[in-house]
Amino acid sequence: MMIILDCTLRDGGYYNKWNFPLDVTNQYLEAMQAAGVDIVELGLRSLINKGFNGANAYTTDSYIQSLTIPTNLKVAVMINAAELIASTPLETVLEKLFPEHAETSPVDVVRIACHVHEFVKALPACNWLKARGYIVGFNLMQVADRSQEEVESLSLEASKFPIDALYFADSMGSMNPAQTSQIISWLRKHWQGAMGIHTHDNMGLALSNTLQAIKDGVTWLDATVTGMGRGPGNARTEELVIEVADMRQQNINMVPLMSVIRGYFQPLKNKCGWGSNPYYYLSGKYGIHPTYIQEMLGDSRYSEEDILAAINHLRLEGGKNFSFNTLDATRHFYRGNPRGSWSPKEIFEDMSVLLLGTGPGVAEHRAALENLIKTNKFVVVALNTQSAVEQSLIDVRIACHPIRLLADCDAHRQLPQPLITPATMLPPDVLDGLHGKKIFDYGLAVKENVFEFGENASILPTSLVICYALAAITAGGATNILMAGFDGYGANDPRNTEMNSLLKLYAANHGSIQLVSITPTCYELPTKSVYGLTI
């Protein structure tokens, strides 16, 4: 018998801190019953209280009793094995989490989420929970990349306990239907009880993998409304219930579900942005934890090229386990000693420099900037492929982001100006793309909170192109730097804060040059107007 378990309020809580409005929750429960869902996992149950999380992060008995739950809908909660095994004996935590026996608790099903290394230690919790009358499921996470021997060993350990449903989760969203069948066959080596599947939609295969699992005998099926869940989300309940209803030859009522989607879940999805996209597809393909993508998409400091570069870094260095420190490191592409073969003094020494950023201010004030350049002797430097002013007025371009360079290779080959870039330190595919381009090789390395300007290379706090440009111009011995097109971002945008910190760090260096913005800027820079400027 197939069992649909909707875990929207648990897995979806990663987007709204498990803070679902009470009226929406009751509408959702009515919709689940009407759509043929068998079990609703209302949230996590935990003793950990750090920062604000809503009711569904704890899902206490008193909270559940405040809801209007249809009589034929079973209630589940999930606990994390890491919290259980952190205490010895684990029964100490279980007694606090589940003070009531199942017959007097509104909870019917308890699921335990386990990483492979936690599984054996957490299994005894099954005996404790079963003795108190609960239905027990174990969710094995990140098994897709495990060997046949490892998976079969896990199934042997599971067979020693009275688990009601042994789940496996495609945590990275990296599996296809054939791999799904393979994992199931390995688990079946020793486990003969009910099996469940929890799929992620990185590669758009969540529903396909679930349907394949049904063909292979899996009976417990997870899904969430609109796929709401960490990263790209899960199999979508509104699709799975239709498929299962056909298999059951069951009539269901989708109207309440579509209504709550329209009124709450779709607007929230539009705001938070879960669902598969090319970034999540790549994370699934390379076995990268989807939280990396979720965090970058929610952080305006990460441009498209930053995200792609981070994915490439995590693919090479390993990204199965999420870490904020690892995420931050993905923005720094140049490690080791800086290497370069060109001195910026060749073009900047004793010269005034006009640095053109990529903001709209350049195009908006183009006429005034072009007049300024024509009537004064500047070295004009453009970041990346900035082309809002006449090409003949730009002397040199500067770029250093490997992914941005790769994307712009064709443009750089067509543009007439030489390119300042850390050529010696670039990946081979970028260098190949720049073949035939006149390049000035100025090296860089990244070290936190450091601005050092060397003859052929610099050490910088980040590989942002503005830092690289300031370093090269400063190392070249320019007399002053005027800046245009450094508009900045909207109020409270973290990119403004980051840039202001970098500019202050640059200014604190004894070798720094006075910076003046001559077009409007949100950054904390001295400003003058290009329209009233005389040099």
Side-chain angles (χ1 to χ4, degrees):
M1 181 182 70
M2 285 176 287
I3 296 171
I4 300 176
L5 187 153
D6 183 279
C7 48
T8 304
L9 304 188
R10 191 266 304 170
D11 214 353
Y14 290 99
Y15 278 102
N16 67 349
K17 294 186 178 295
W18 296 274
N19 190 30
F20 292 91
L22 194 63
D23 61 332
V24 170
T25 302
N26 283 323
Q27 292 172 39
Y28 154 84
L29 290 168
E30 177 188 349
M32 293 297 97
Q33 184 272 333
V37 170
D38 303 286
I39 303 172
V40 287
E41 190 166 69
L42 291 177
L44 296 165
R45 182 162 286 193
S46 175
L47 301 174
I48 299 171
N49 192 349
K50 294 181 179 179
F52 175 80
N53 287 310
N56 302 91
Y58 307 100
T59 326
T60 60
D61 282 2
S62 60
Y63 166 70
I64 298 171
Q65 288 161 348
S66 74
L67 302 172
T68 304
I69 300 174
T71 55
N72 60 342
L73 204 56
K74 282 188 167 59
V75 170
V77 296
M78 177 172 277
I79 55 178
N80 283 313
E83 186 172 352
L84 290 183
I85 65 178
S87 176
T88 304
L90 54 75
E91 289 81 6
T92 303
V93 178
L94 287 168
E95 287 170 357
K96 294 178 181 178
L97 290 170
F98 301 97
E100 301 289 334
H101 283 232
E103 61 188 26
T104 56
S105 170
V107 174
D108 304 292
V109 180
V110 177
R111 299 205 298 173
I112 301 173
C114 294
H115 290 96
V116 169
H117 68 276
E118 300 163 338
F119 188 56
V120 173
K121 292 179 181 178
L123 278 170
C126 179
N127 292 334
W128 191 93
L129 290 163
K130 290 294 292 182
R132 282 154 181 77
Y134 292 101
I135 300 168
V136 180
F138 268 77
N139 285 38
L140 266 170
M141 299 185 288
Q142 298 185 7
V143 297
D145 62 341
R146 298 288 173 166
S147 68
Q148 179 176 353
E149 182 181 2
E150 288 177 294
V151 175
E152 290 178 352
S153 175
L154 293 168
S155 77
L156 178 61
E157 294 299 326
S159 69
K160 300 173 185 177
F161 292 84
I163 301 169
D164 292 288
L166 178 62
Y167 265 84
F168 69 99
D170 179 18
S171 305
M172 304 301 181
S174 59
M175 294 172 64
N176 59 35
Q179 292 168 317
T180 300
S181 293
Q182 185 177 65
I183 293 292
I184 292 168
S185 68
W186 292 350
L187 286 170
R188 279 295 181 208
K189 176 69 180 290
H190 300 289
W191 176 255
Q192 301 305 315
M195 285 184 61
I197 186 168
H198 179 95
T199 57
H200 283 183
D201 208 31
N202 300 58
M203 301 175 72
L205 294 173
L207 182 62
S208 297
N209 288 339
T210 302
L211 296 177
Q212 181 60 49
I214 294 172
K215 294 177 183 177
D216 293 326
V218 170
T219 53
W220 287 58
L221 315 169
D222 276 17
T224 58
V225 176
T226 67
M228 186 182 187
R230 183 154 50 180
N234 314 106
R236 290 176 280 278
T237 300
E238 58 271 25
E239 297 170 355
L240 182 61
V241 293
I242 293 171
E243 296 289 342
V244 172
D246 284 346
M247 298 176 195
R248 290 172 171 172
Q249 296 184 323
Q250 173 190 27
N251 291 321
I252 59 174
N253 179 7
M254 292 288 290
V255 173
L257 177 53
M258 300 313 292
S259 178
V260 76
I261 287 174
R262 185 186 70 248
Y264 179 77
F265 288 102
Q266 190 60 50
L268 189 59
K269 181 179 181 180
N270 294 342
K271 176 183 177 182
C272 298
W274 65 83
S276 192
N277 59 40
Y279 304 125
Y280 282 124
Y281 182 89
L282 289 169
S283 75
K285 183 176 178 66
Y286 298 131
I288 296 167
H289 200 292
T291 300
Y292 283 111
I293 310 301
Q294 181 177 329
E295 289 293 329
M296 287 189 286
L297 290 174
D299 187 336
S300 57
R301 295 176 302 166
Y302 287 87
S303 65
E304 290 84 358
E305 57 262 29
D306 284 329
I307 298 174
L308 290 171
I311 290 171
N312 187 57
H313 170 83
L314 293 166
R315 176 176 67 89
L316 298 173
E317 301 295 329
K320 293 179 184 176
N321 298 312
F322 178 74
S323 161
F324 277 108
N325 290 334
T326 302
L327 177 59
D328 186 60
T330 63
R331 298 184 74 208
H332 303 151
F333 310 102
Y334 298 98
R335 294 175 176 80
N337 295 324
R339 305 181 304 280
S341 60
W342 174 77
S343 172
K345 289 184 179 180
E346 291 184 17
I347 59 173
F348 294 127
E349 191 166 26
D350 297 327
M351 296 295 294
S352 293
V353 173
L354 175 59
L355 183 59
L356 302 177
T358 57
V362 175
E364 185 176 350
H365 304 286
R366 173 175 178 166
L369 288 168
E370 290 181 344
N371 182 62
L372 182 69
I373 296 168
K374 291 173 182 177
T375 55
N376 293 274
K377 190 174 182 181
F378 286 110
V379 176
V380 180
V381 182
L383 300 188
N384 299 315
T385 56
Q386 165 62 266
S387 297
V389 301
E390 185 181 323
Q391 288 294 328
S392 63
L393 299 178
I394 299 173
D395 297 297
V396 67
R397 294 184 177 277
I398 190 161
C400 61
H401 195 300
I403 302 297
R404 180 65 182 266
L405 275 166
L406 189 60
D408 290 344
C409 278
D410 288 342
H412 278 300
R413 285 198 303 268
Q414 298 299 319
L415 291 166
Q417 301 86 9
L419 176 66
I420 301 172
T421 193
T424 305
M425 307 180 71
L426 289 174
D429 55 346
V430 178
L431 282 177
D432 290 344
L434 293 172
H435 181 71
K437 180 73 178 177
K438 184 176 182 180
I439 287 176
F440 296 147
D441 177 22
Y442 186 68
L444 76 88
V446 173
K447 186 175 181 181
E448 188 176 3
N449 295 325
V450 174
F451 251 116
E452 293 182 3
F453 318 121
E455 176 74 19
N456 303 115
S458 288
I459 301 175
L460 309 175
T462 174
S463 55
L464 287 175
V465 67
I466 176 58
C467 291
Y468 181 61
L470 292 177
I473 296 167
T474 305
T479 56
N480 64 304
I481 303 174
L482 300 183
M483 303 170 70
F486 292 87
D487 301 50
Y489 304 92
N492 301 318
D493 191 305
R495 289 173 291 186
N496 284 338
T497 303
E498 180 180 32
M499 182 60 71
N500 286 330
S501 297
L502 293 172
L503 291 171
K504 287 178 181 177
L505 187 63
Y506 169 79
N509 189 291
H510 70 276
S512 65
I513 300 170
Q514 176 70 51
L515 308 177
V516 177
S517 176
I518 58 173
T519 57
T521 181
C522 294
Y523 299 137
E524 294 172 1
L525 282 168
T527 58
K528 291 184 179 180
S529 172
V530 63
Y531 295 98
L533 197 61
T534 56
I535 303 295

